[in-house]
Amino acid sequence: MTIGVVGGGASAVCLLDTLAERKDMPRGHITVFEPSSHLWRGRPYQADLDVIRVNAPPGDMSVRAGSPNHFQNWLDSTGTRSGHYGRYWDPLAGMAFVPRGVYGDYLEQTARSAMTRLIDRGWRVELVRDRVLDAVPTAGGLTVTTERGHMSYVDYAVLCFGGNGPEDLYSLTGSNRYIADPYPAMRTMRDIPADATVGVIGSGLTAVDIVRVLARSGHRGRIRLLSRRGVLPSVRQRPIPHGLLHFTPVRFRAAAARGENTSLAELTGIMGAELTAAGENPDTVHAEITAVEREEPATRLRRQLAGVTSRRMGLRILQQAVPEAGPDVWPLLPDAEQDRVLDRHHRTMMSLCCPMSPASAQVLLGLIRSGQLELVRDLRDIEVKGDRFTVHTATGALRADYVINAVNCRLRSHPAGATPLIRSLVAADLAEPHPHGGVRVERATSRLTVRNRPDSRLHALGDPAAGSLFFTFGIQSLVDRSVDIVGSIRTDLASRASRLTNVRVLRRRYAEPVQLSA
């Protein structure tokens, strides 16, 4: 058995660890293809300033399936103080938010450990620091070719490459004071003068990172978050455990197995039952959802920060249920309803499901109160003349000395480096592009599909499956899909072995001499 893993970031780490933990897998050969310098870390978790934090507690960041304490145990083993009164502890949230660079260390060590365990069990593990450009069918498997001409035969390939970097919506690339990608901030933002006016395109978690970096560095100039809608991430509440009763992955997987679809109206009813069972009023949660784009951003930020320790469960249930069941719900929605969600509610959903830490919210609110931070809505265009930028909004023009891009485009695009591979797969009738981004995959196994027929040789993990599954962000989603993929490969191996056994039996049967009666 040979497996090719295209991409060597966090997705690949989840896959390797799941594979290493699966003791019933036969020995094989696995090759990881990764051309960038961010091996195992990817773009998000490269070494950077301590103020750039993971926006989830350690229990949500474990790459070990079935072991939510794996990351926390690693932190404890390295002497990282992440518990009460540690340097990364958020007292208001009652949890720790560690630096992304520290999490990148965890990914690196986990990947090395997984490879070592595989080698100890007789696997051959190979790392090719090159980009895969082509994959063609060959004798029941695939032949993949890299940019430098390295050719490998694989029985199975898993597409694990990350998403595109920040999108240049206003054609500013090449401008002297335009920062196209803020990471790593310790390099990209170190030369910004303390009194400069900084415009940040976007208002999501990346924009929050930028504000925190500027605040930590003692920046004195005005900071403006520039976006069309002015939607900030929600503020994460102190965790209270809850067991889902109605809006569960099991329910939606069973519906998929019966060939059923669903609708937004039906999902609203199921979520209402979930909230009612917990003693919550669905109307209150609906009001919170509509407030994302209707309430003045600073007012919403202030209100949510004040509610971090509230015992009300409504928003907590929503933030738990949507990511957990989302990958099973999304394929059940008709295309028209998926389009409606993406066109009308995408920013709202991301704000609710990808919250910022209370510590970040406190920093933003403090800067807003002082007048240093301004949230600018209705962004129309940004022009550059010389070393100055003019920001055009619905209410007038503003200026900026520096502009930093914080726009993340997860859907409808893939990295430029992956384009030749995707084209080759499509040309060979091995992949079908999804209109929302990436390629079409089967929900239960993450196998690539063409005209609804899955291919046992090809799987997608993370951003390449975003169009089909949407909820591919978050480590827990990557872990769950890794379990699906490894299980799919194991099932296919068993099927191949069964077919081979049947062929051998038939060969022996027809090779036996015929006994003639007297």
Side-chain angles (χ1 to χ4, degrees), residues 379-399:
L379 175 62
R380 300 292 176 84
D381 194 13
I382 301 177
E383 293 180 324
V384 58
K385 291 183 179 180
D387 289 334
R388 292 294 179 89
F389 298 87
T390 301
V391 179
H392 297 279
T393 72
T395 56
L398 304 168
R399 74 169 186 86

Side-chain angles (χ1 to χ4, degrees), residues 5-314:
V5 181
V6 183
S11 300
V13 177
C14 295
L15 183 69
L16 284 173
D17 191 76
T18 302
L19 194 61
E21 287 294 293
R22 186 81 184 243
K23 301 301 191 293
D24 63 342
M25 293 290 285
R27 291 178 302 189
H29 176 192
I30 187 165
T31 303
V32 179
F33 300 89
E34 175 53 57
S36 80
S37 59
H38 310 313
L39 181 63
W40 311 130
R41 296 172 175 265
R43 175 176 168 264
Y45 304 113
Q46 54 190 307
D48 210 335
L49 302 170
D50 276 6
V51 73
I52 296 182
R53 304 288 178 88
V54 171
N55 289 289
D60 290 347
M61 299 299 293
S62 168
V63 302
R64 176 69 51 82
S67 181
N69 292 325
H70 187 257
F71 179 39
Q72 182 63 62
N73 293 338
W74 179 87
L75 288 170
D76 295 340
S77 71
T78 60
T80 302
R81 292 188 62 195
S82 61
H84 289 76
Y85 309 111
R87 62 185 298 190
Y88 306 132
W89 184 256
D90 187 327
L92 190 58
M95 64 183 79
F97 298 94
V98 302
R100 291 195 201 171
V102 171
Y103 187 72
D105 295 339
Y106 163 70
L107 291 175
E108 282 190 355
Q109 293 193 23
T110 302
R112 294 193 190 105
S113 172
M115 290 189 293
T116 299
R117 299 199 309 277
L118 288 170
I119 291 170
D120 289 344
R121 283 168 36 203
W123 282 68
R124 181 183 173 193
V125 180
E126 185 179 4
L127 180 61
V128 176
R129 303 306 298 272
D130 200 0
R131 189 186 321 278
V132 174
L133 295 183
D134 186 70
V136 295
T138 306
L142 301 162
T143 296
V144 298
T145 305
T146 69
E147 199 167 29
R148 299 192 192 98
H150 179 98
M151 300 179 68
S152 301
Y153 172 85
V154 298
D155 296 301
Y156 305 96
V158 185
L159 308 182
C160 288
F161 50 81
N164 240 341
E167 188 172 3
D168 184 9
L169 299 176
Y170 303 100
S171 303
L172 300 176
T173 298
S175 304
N176 288 335
R177 295 182 177 182
Y178 172 66
I179 299 174
D181 187 342
Y183 302 120
M186 62 181 182
R187 176 178 56 82
T188 62
M189 297 173 59
R190 64 187 177 190
D191 296 328
I192 297 178
D195 58 350
T197 297
V198 178
V200 181
I201 307 175
S203 58
L205 290 174
T206 301
V208 173
D209 282 345
I210 293 168
V211 172
R212 292 203 65 176
V213 169
L214 292 170
R216 176 66 67 86
S217 69
H219 191 79
R220 300 185 300 272
R222 184 178 291 275
I223 306 167
R224 292 189 173 106
L225 299 189
L226 314 169
S227 64
R228 290 189 292 268
R229 299 180 180 180
V231 175
L232 289 171
S234 295
V235 181
R236 184 180 291 273
Q237 292 179 292
R238 185 182 287 260
I240 298 176
H242 173 76
L244 296 174
L245 298 176
H246 301 280
F247 207 96
T248 63
V250 172
R251 177 183 191 141
F252 298 113
R253 288 173 191 169
R258 295 190 297 267
E260 298 175 359
N261 288 326
T262 189
S263 66
L264 292 175
E266 184 178 0
L267 293 175
T268 300
I270 298 171
M271 179 59 73
E274 184 73 49
L275 294 166
T276 302
E280 294 293 327
N281 186 346
D283 291 340
T284 302
V285 176
H286 181 264
E288 185 66 55
I289 294 173
T290 57
V292 172
E293 297 202 30
R294 293 183 180 179
E295 191 173 10
E296 198 277 324
T299 301
R300 176 171 174 260
L301 178 66
R302 188 180 303 108
R303 176 178 58 80
Q304 288 196 332
L305 188 56
V308 166
T309 58
S310 167
R311 302 293 297 179
R312 303 307 305 177
M313 291 295 297

Side-chain angles (χ1 to χ4, degrees), residues 115 123 127 166 269 319 339 445 464 485:
M115 290 189 293
W123 282 68
L127 180 61
Q319 291 174 335
D339 291 339
T445 63
I485 291 170

